[in-house]
Amino acid sequence: MQVEVGSALNPDEYPGLAHFWEHMLFMGTEKYPEEEIYSKYISDYGGYNNAYTGLEQTNYHFEVSNEGFEKSLDMFAQFFIAPLMAKDSVDREMNAIESENNKNLQSDMWRFFQILQNESAPTCTLNRFNTGNLLTLKKDGVVDALKDFHKKWYSANIMNLC
């Protein structure tokens, strides 16, 4: 699933929110509320899943055997239809994003990209902090901002599924 929204559309007060939403999407749904059920099901059928957030797109993908495909597709679809945002998931995924950001600080490629972003014009959508961290996300109102982000941007007219 390619969603035509990425970190360029982060709200100014929550740098990294698009990436945070990418993480939160996998944390259970109304139909399948158990957090790890999707990953376990995919793994049980010889597959994997992952996602990434770019400047203008967010991509969610999985691979699974034919036998597990129909149910895994239903589980996958539910992430976009009725995602949950349990409080313990929010806190845990913020910490996962903090760890990911700390890992990126050790990467020359990520450091180069951050320099490029910092040196771009302040009004340019490139001039952003994409991944987020605890400083940018652990703020009052972040759960409401996630809900607003989903409502505003996760719309079928800007999604492509293959």
Side-chain angles (χ1 to χ4, degrees):
M1 172 73 76
Q2 178 96 350
V3 184
E4 299 301 323
V5 62
S7 58
L9 295 171
N10 284 332
D12 290 339
E13 61 274 18
Y14 297 105
L17 193 74
H19 180 229
F20 186 29
W21 182 246
E22 169 215 311
H23 277 244
M24 288 303 300
L25 206 66
F26 287 110
M27 297 292 108
T29 66
E30 289 177 15
K31 186 172 180 180
Y32 302 101
E34 190 179 327
E35 274 188 28
E36 297 300 321
I37 195 168
Y38 174 69
S39 294
K40 182 178 181 337
Y41 185 85
I42 294 286
S43 179
D44 287 350
Y45 283 90
Y48 70 93
N49 66 291
N50 208 343
Y52 62 87
T53 302
L55 281 173
E56 297 176 332
Q57 296 93 16
T58 304
N59 182 280
Y60 302 88
H61 54 276
F62 71 95
E63 184 175 304
V64 69
S65 68
N66 290 341
E67 297 81 21
F69 179 71
E70 190 172 325
K71 184 173 179 180
S72 61
L73 184 59
D74 181 54
M75 296 170 99
F76 184 77
Q78 294 303 312
F79 293 131
F80 303 95
I81 295 168
L84 294 180
M85 282 191 287
K87 173 72 171 131
D88 58 330
S89 297
V90 169
D91 293 340
R92 189 173 46 258
E93 288 309 306
M94 275 187 198
N95 288 321
I97 285 176
E98 176 75 8
S99 293
E100 189 175 337
N101 182 63
N102 288 337
K103 173 193 61 86
N104 291 345
L105 294 174
Q106 306 307 311
S107 165
D108 288 342
M109 180 198 72
W110 279 100
R111 288 194 301 241
F112 174 77
F113 187 61
Q114 192 60 54
I115 290 169
L116 179 67
Q117 289 177 296
N118 291 349
E119 293 301 314
S120 65
T123 57
C124 178
T125 57
L126 185 61
N127 189 301
R128 311 211 149 243
F129 176 43
N130 296 345
T131 58
N133 60 21
L134 287 176
L135 185 64
T136 66
L137 297 170
K138 197 170 184 90
K139 299 178 181 179
D140 290 339
V142 72
V143 171
D144 289 334
L146 282 170
K147 290 176 184 176
D148 291 345
F149 189 83
H150 178 255
K151 186 176 181 179
K152 182 175 183 177
W153 294 114
Y154 275 65
S155 175
N157 65 317
I158 59 170
M159 295 178 167
N160 300 290
L161 178 67
C162 64

